[in-house]
Amino acid sequence: MNEKVDAIAVRGDLGHVLSVLVAPTLITQLTLTVGWLGETYFVKQLGDEAIAAVGSAGQVSWLLMVLSMTVSTGATTLLAQSWGASDLRSAQKVVTATLQQGLFFGLLAMTLWFFKDPIWDWLGIPPKVRSLATVYFAVFLLVCPLAGMEFGMMSLYRGIGDMVTPMYSMLAGVASQLVMCALFVPMFGIVGVALAFVLSRIVILIWLLARYRTSQLRLVSLRVNGWHPEEHRQLLALGIPSGLQSFLWSLASTVYFGILAHTRESTAALAALTAGLRIEALAFMPGIAFGIATQTLVGQNIGANQPERARKGAWQAAIWCSVIMGLVGLVFFVGANWLAGRFSNELLTRHYLSAYLKINAISEPFLGLGMTLSGALRGMGDTVTPAIIGAGTQWLLRLPATYLLCHYFGYDAVAAWWTMSLSTIVSGILTAWAFTKRSAHMLTGKRLGVRG
């Protein structure tokens, strides 16, 4: 415990710090995408019913992501602030509480087994697909407690500014998943797909634990014994709004999908939306990476009592992210027709997809602004404001406007693309305004975050 804490974000050139934090995080996001596409490739070999089965299980298992957000958001912020302050006693309490909550929420996720049938009834899953989905989901749930611990460990590494360990662990996990898919799927079918996923999560957790002894995280113990009620309260106070935001976002996406399903030419509209979101995921990855990196940067500088550096770092990250996502948006706008032709052979679907890419390209810089500064607000200890802005712009602007234009006035899917783009722009502007006000309070010495 005599070794000095190395809070990477509190010193040196901000541009260099951002590069060190963002680059590994972006590679992690790219690796996740490769894993998802690779799994899809192997599932396709089992036929359309297997594809539908994995998708059906995903409608239930996404709740695990809500629980993981609840754990990881608070853990990254609290540990970043403690690390920036070189407060190892506080950091130890955060680590213990994080691991306890990760294990608890992982066990809680296993209760989703009892809700699968009502959800599949609501979705109208056919019997053959349901039987395959049940098998996949049963195997998937076995890894939930370990996955909860994994999410907690990932957030702890990010809190101390170590983005490289999560990157390598994800590379190892995805590589093992694809190898095991190649081996298991021909032998075990849908069970092989699930087994490959489960074993890949175990590989990730083993890697995270193996790197502990050579990481700065070794300055605290990875113990789960002991009870720290204040740290649990703070973790939940920070995590619940983020988890609720994730839940409301997923629910809003389902409602938006449902609204489009009742428009004229709904099949083409839904196909265009599905393809558009997958293409646009290329732009989401920088936003996610900058959001995670900025949360750590701001959190450590708040802990180190360097509010001006936290503010400058957040705005520099936001500008970088907006420029990068704006360039990606420009590619979407210029290449919209070509991209649409690669993803559909139907003329109307191509028309809708091209319009989707062009219209949403306008909002990409604002999406980057919002995603990055939401991370900055979380680093300050404010997870409520991003949740309110994110949920509010969807439920009070996007969904009502889409319903009004498409159902009351009878416009087609192009109107829905405009409401999506507009709500994203408004969300980015509101987040920037909220961060400006919050950082002004910070610089005038008012109490900030959860550690004061």
Side-chain angles (χ1 to χ4, degrees):
M1 283 290 187
N2 293 326
E3 187 176 345
K4 186 178 179 182
V5 170
D6 181 16
I8 184 177
V10 303
R11 66 182 188 281
D13 178 69
L14 281 170
H16 174 71
V17 171
L18 279 171
S19 299
V20 170
L21 294 176
V22 170
T25 311
L26 182 57
I27 294 172
T28 302
Q29 296 302 314
L30 288 168
T31 304
L32 279 168
T33 302
V34 170
W36 176 71
L37 293 174
E39 183 188 57
T40 303
Y41 168 79
F42 287 105
V43 174
K44 281 175 62 177
Q45 298 179 25
L46 301 175
D48 290 347
E49 289 179 346
I51 297 173
V54 174
S56 300
Q59 298 302 312
V60 184
S61 60
W62 67 263
L63 290 172
L64 176 62
M65 301 307 299
V66 173
L67 296 176
S68 73
M69 283 289 294
T70 303
V71 175
S72 61
T73 300
T76 298
T77 294
L78 288 178
L79 189 57
Q81 292 185 5
S82 297
W83 214 253
S86 297
D87 186 352
L88 287 177
R89 179 175 296 181
S90 175
Q92 180 63 71
K93 294 179 180 179
V94 173
V95 169
T96 300
T98 297
L99 295 177
Q100 289 171 344
Q101 286 196 13
L103 181 60
F104 170 77
F105 282 121
L107 291 169
L108 182 63
M110 296 183 75
T111 64
L112 293 173
W113 175 261
F114 302 104
F115 300 96
K116 67 183 188 310
D117 289 324
I119 294 176
W120 291 341
D121 287 338
W122 178 63
L123 292 172
I125 305 300
K128 288 186 178 179
V129 173
R130 180 178 299 209
S131 63
L132 291 173
T134 299
V135 172
Y136 178 91
F137 196 54
V139 179
F140 170 87
L141 287 178
L142 294 175
V143 81
C144 283
L146 293 180
M149 296 289 284
E150 173 205 320
F151 289 132
M153 288 286 293
M154 286 271 197
S155 64
L156 294 176
Y157 277 110
R158 288 168 178 154
I160 68 171
D162 181 359
M163 308 299 185
V164 174
T165 296
M167 178 190 73
Y168 279 124
S169 68
M170 190 60 64
L171 285 168
V174 168
S176 63
Q177 180 184 13
L178 297 182
V179 169
M180 286 183 284
C181 273
L183 294 174
F184 294 163
V185 171
M187 292 188 292
F188 306 117
I190 195 74
V191 175
V193 179
L195 281 174
F197 176 81
V198 168
L199 293 175
S200 72
R201 309 319 289 189
I202 295 174
V203 168
I204 291 172
L205 183 58
I206 290 174
W207 187 283
L208 293 171
L209 292 171
R211 288 287 297 170
Y212 165 72
R213 291 297 178 187
T214 57
S215 166
Q216 273 265 303
L217 196 59
R218 70 184 183 278
L219 297 180
V220 291
S221 301
L222 297 180
R223 58 172 182 251
V224 294
N225 61 305
W227 185 253
H228 308 292
E230 179 59 21
E231 276 63 33
H232 277 287
R233 184 196 67 78
Q234 291 175 348
L235 283 172
L236 291 174
L238 290 170
I240 288 175
S242 293
L244 185 60
Q245 179 184 3
S246 179
F247 172 78
L248 291 175
W249 180 88
S250 299
L251 185 59
S253 297
T254 301
V255 173
Y256 186 81
F257 193 89
I259 293 174
L260 284 175
H262 291 87
T263 59
R264 66 173 189 262
E265 308 294 351
S266 60
T267 300
L270 294 177
L273 176 63
T274 301
L277 288 171
R278 293 185 179 184
I279 295 171
E280 199 181 5
L282 294 172
F284 295 160
M285 287 185 286
I288 294 171
F290 272 95
I292 292 172
T294 306
Q295 182 180 358
T296 297
L297 185 149
V298 171
Q300 287 195 2
N301 280 284
I302 293 302
N305 196 27
Q306 297 184 151
E308 177 61 18
R309 181 178 172 85
R311 185 189 68 82
K312 286 183 178 179
W315 276 115
Q316 186 168 336
I319 292 170
W320 282 16
C321 187
S322 295
V323 170
I324 292 171
M325 293 183 66
L327 291 174
V328 176
L330 181 61
V331 172
F332 290 164
F333 190 91
V334 173
N337 292 334
W338 182 86
L339 287 167
R342 305 285 78 75
F343 279 80
S344 178
N345 295 321
E346 299 295 330
L347 185 61
L348 184 58
T349 300
R350 289 163 61 178
H351 164 70
Y352 281 150
L353 179 53
S354 177
Y356 176 96
L357 294 172
K358 289 179 179 178
I359 292 169
N360 281 285
I362 300 170
S363 66
E364 297 298 344
F366 296 92
L367 181 60
L369 184 70
M371 295 177 81
T372 304
L373 294 181
S374 289
L377 287 167
R378 287 191 286 269
M380 290 179 172
D382 181 2
T383 57
V384 174
T385 299
I388 291 174
I389 292 174
T393 51
Q394 281 196 317
W395 286 92
L396 300 180
L397 177 56
R398 181 181 300 182
L399 295 179
T402 303
Y403 183 85
L404 184 67
L405 290 173
C406 293
H407 286 258
Y408 187 79
F409 290 105
Y411 288 103
D412 64 3
V414 175
W417 307 157
W418 279 111
T419 63
M420 177 184 286
S421 184
L422 177 62
S423 65
T424 301
I425 292 171
V426 172
S427 179
I429 293 172
L430 288 177
T431 304
W433 174 78
F435 175 75
T436 301
K437 292 205 66 174
R438 183 75 169 169
S439 58
H441 287 192
M442 170 179 63
L443 293 173
T444 54
K446 295 185 179 181
R447 187 181 186 276
L448 179 72
V450 290
R451 299 216 169 268

